[in-house]
Amino acid sequence: MTGPRYTKLVDSLPATVPFVGPEDQERNAGRPFAARLGANENGFGPSPRAIAAMAAAAGEVWKYGDSTSHDLRAALAAHHGVGIENVLVGEGIDGLLGYLCRLVIEPADAVVTSEGAYPTFNYHVAGFGGVLHKVPYKDDREDPQALIAKAAEVGAKLVYLSNPDNPMGTWHDRATVEAMIAAVPEGTLMVLDEAYVEFAPEGTEARIDADDPRVIRMRTFSKAHGMAGARVGYALGAPGLIAAFDKIRNHFGMCRISQAGALAALEDRTWQAYMRLLVAGARERIGEIAEANGLQALPSATNFVAIDCGADGDFARAVLRELGELGVFVRMPFIAPQDRCIRVSVGPETELEAFAEALPKALASARAGQSR
Amino acid sequence: MTGPRYTKLVDSLPATVPFVGPEDQERNAGRPFAARLGANENGFGPSPRAIAAMAAAAGEVWKYGDSTSHDLRAALAAHHGVGIENVLVGEGIDGLLGYLCRLVIEPADAVVTSEGAYPTFNYHVAGFGGVLHKVPYKDDREDPQALIAKAAEVGAKLVYLSNPDNPMGTWHDRATVEAMIAAVPEGTLMVLDEAYVEFAPEGTEARIDADDPRVIRMRTFSKAHGMAGARVGYALGAPGLIAAFDKIRNHFGMCRISQAGALAALEDRTWQAYMRLLVAGARERIGEIAEANGLQALPSATNFVAIDCGADGDFARAVLRELGELGVFVRMPFIAPQDRCIRVSVGPETELEAFAEALPKALASARAGQSR
């Protein structure tokens, strides 16, 4: 009796689990975190109206969700001034990126992204056998010109840009993004991940013809709407591309409660305005905490802040480790020189206060470790 | 400007949407159904404790779900008397079937199922380029011996059995299923879909060594737990196979609210006992409605009942259409001779009463149409 016969591709994939969540870390440590500021979640939480809508939908969850997410898509289409045929709803941006990779990537196909950019995109590309070509960040920002040049050079099927960027929180203005779209090589699709764009300054969001076949935009209810655990993402793109997902997607894959929550969240403009203020305030507070410790916070257009720990990656990793020991969950970039930073998500004052208390201790321990 | 370059496989897939949900049908008809009895949902709904747990989790949905679904997997492992390493939680059985197909199927690989069995399995097989070999039902039941013989003949990577069966509601006893597992050819994995097994008589559920590499069992919270819209399925299988899913699955794909609801539902043994009684009563009621109209209901081990409309597929399709006109949503098997039946899901008495009122009218209209 042997096991099943896996595909050659699956046999070639690493068996290590690429993503270790905070609950796993808590179980390993034997205690919960005092502050959960590492997963780019939004600790201010969802709109009270969305919470009420989800609670009400819980009793109706014996029904499958609407397989077309019609009402949510219609509301999103109105919100963005596009047609419903330009809108796809799916199980978070992560789910949509997986579907997109399945649509276009065959083994050995080329894909371009930035060195140190969103790892889940890379996971899905590799999971379908794609070959990743990476270009470095430039001044802590993704480099549109280099991305386009590399895409042209390798004949990429996909080129990825996150604007604003994760993990650095940096951003490009709309003119730069629009110029990148105009330069997308024939046969390449640009994946514009705008998970954080609601937090960015006016003039960041690119103006894109919804029918432009060169680009697909990814949006989410995880960040600005504080609903990461609900798994609602959406894509905006040309109708032909949006329709192609219907060939492969899990048609009844959307949680009905999440559909109801997202619709209510989208309609609650008041909460959205509060949220922008709350997040801007928390970013400022994180900046003050950094400064009080002699560190520099990078400007951020997201719901997290990269703090330059003032030395190399080993030092920042030590700070991160010490923060974890002190019950404060944060994360950090993987690649030099961005790995001189730790990445701190926004949250309510109680959590930021725990971070403020822990940071000087963590820095002292990390420095003591260095001089040992 | 052209669109993206899809894979050859995706180009070859049909563009038609294979699944039309009840909401879509309601929008097309311009009015809601009076009775929603077509999607094998469980209209008695989830445990009140599960509803309360989901409502409570709504406020915590700013957090991603636990990427390992640890607590739910631990509870399921205890429930089934297996190790946590034998349990995988995913986005419904549909999601798990998609992942499983991705793990094992390369274009032209052979897969065996029954003619007229679960179409979503077929959708995923085709979506990864697999070739489906189908064997007929025998006396309205899937035919384990024929499935095994076909799997051996074509060298299948997967062979699918649903016990109890959808769409007929029929079942095999455990000895038959255990004999089928013992006969699985080397290199074939048996997919045992037990979505409905909680409704089946004692002695239906096969006794399987959790580490047996020849079979993977699929279970769900959609049916017995009345939580179809929450998208929580799970698989029981050998640790190596369960671990393989970590290479490709969407690690943060589980809705946090759904995880909380499933855990509470699993713990509510009282509701589970009520549910079995409610479903058994509703099955009986559907049988009486059939009999009152001179029709025969097939014995069912599920939360739905196949009613033999007493003529051919065209007649049953006419009955189904007329029921739809009268606001009663049911479905039916696709393939002769099973398509002589309509398939009616259980639900509360108000919905069954609507069906009882509509059925004689639908039969009369269908008969009038026939004699025209």
Side-chain angles (χ1 to χ4, degrees), chain B residues 289-304:
Chain B
I289 296 168
E291 203 177 337
N293 287 274
L295 307 181
Q296 173 104 40
L298 273 66
S300 165
T302 65
N303 62 327
F304 57 86

Side-chain angles (χ1 to χ4, degrees), chain A residues 2 41 61 186 229 249 256, chain B residues 2 61 64 123 186 229 256:
Chain A
T2 58
E41 295 158 335
V61 82
E186 188 76 24
R249 72 184 181 91
R256 190 176 187 94
Chain B
T2 57
V61 81
Y64 285 102
Y123 168 77
E186 188 75 25
R256 190 177 187 94

Side-chain angles (χ1 to χ4, degrees), chain B residues 53-359:
Chain B
M54 289 186 278
E60 295 291 305
V61 81
W62 63 270
K63 300 176 190 172
Y64 285 102
D66 174 10
S67 61
T68 68
S69 295
H70 176 273
D71 295 348
L72 180 56
R73 282 169 57 236
L76 288 166
H79 178 75
H80 288 290
V82 302
I84 194 170
E85 69 280 6
N86 296 114
V87 185
L88 172 72
V89 165
E91 304 94 328
I93 290 182
D94 286 0
L96 292 172
L97 289 174
Y99 290 139
L100 178 63
C101 287
R102 185 171 159 199
L103 282 177
V104 303
I105 295 175
E106 292 179 285
D109 279 347
V111 172
V112 171
T113 187
S114 302
E115 183 82 55
Y118 192 45
T120 304
F121 176 70
N122 299 357
Y123 168 77
H124 287 308
V125 170
F128 288 97
V131 176
L132 283 155
H133 300 266
K134 299 178 184 174
V135 305
Y137 278 59
K138 189 173 166 183
D139 300 331
D140 294 324
R141 301 199 295 178
E142 293 190 69
D143 184 343
Q145 287 186 310
L147 288 164
I148 289 293
K150 180 61 78 176
E153 176 196 329
V154 300
K157 277 197 165 173
L158 298 175
V159 58
Y160 176 91
L161 180 81
S162 181
N163 193 51
D165 174 64
N166 171 24
M168 301 309 286
T170 51
W171 69 102
H172 291 287
D173 62 20
R174 64 164 50 134
T176 305
V177 177
E178 290 164 8
M180 179 172 173
I181 296 167
V184 167
E186 188 75 25
T188 299
L189 178 70
M190 177 166 157
V191 184
L192 178 58
D193 185 341
E194 297 183 318
Y196 303 99
V197 78
E198 293 92 343
F199 301 119
E202 281 284 318
T204 302
E205 191 180 343
R207 290 156 301 194
I208 304 175
D209 177 352
D211 295 337
D212 191 327
R214 296 171 299 188
V215 59
I216 184 167
R217 309 172 87 140
M218 299 285 184
R219 297 291 188 94
T220 183
F221 285 82
S222 297
K223 311 299 179 184
H225 296 285
M227 291 174 53
R231 314 284 55 224
V232 186
Y234 61 102
L236 303 173
L241 173 56
I242 296 301
F245 285 81
D246 277 344
K247 290 183 170 186
I248 58 155
R249 72 183 181 92
N250 189 2
H251 285 261
F252 289 88
M254 285 301 298
C255 175
R256 190 177 187 94
I257 296 169
S258 302
Q259 290 174 323
L263 189 56
L266 188 66
E267 287 167 354
D268 191 349
R269 300 300 165 92
T270 306
W271 186 256
Q272 290 162 34
Y274 288 173
M275 185 60 76
R276 278 189 292 271
L277 291 172
L278 288 167
V279 168
R283 281 196 309 233
E284 209 168 304
R285 174 84 169 103
I286 294 170
E288 288 163 6
I289 296 168
E291 203 177 337
N293 287 274
L295 307 181
Q296 173 104 40
L298 273 66
S300 165
T302 65
N303 62 327
F304 57 86
V305 177
I307 297 176
D308 184 339
C309 290
D312 63 3
D314 286 340
F315 181 71
R317 277 183 284 277
V319 173
L320 181 111
R321 202 164 45 239
E322 297 292 340
L323 284 170
E325 294 288 326
L326 295 163
V328 175
F329 168 53
V330 301
R331 283 207 169 116
M332 62 178 288
F334 297 117
I335 303 294
Q338 282 72 43
D339 69 352
R340 72 191 189 280
C341 299
I342 56 171
R343 193 195 69 180
V344 184
S345 306
V346 301
E349 178 55 26
T350 46
E351 306 231 341
L352 297 186
E353 183 56 37
F355 172 62
E357 267 184 45
L359 183 58

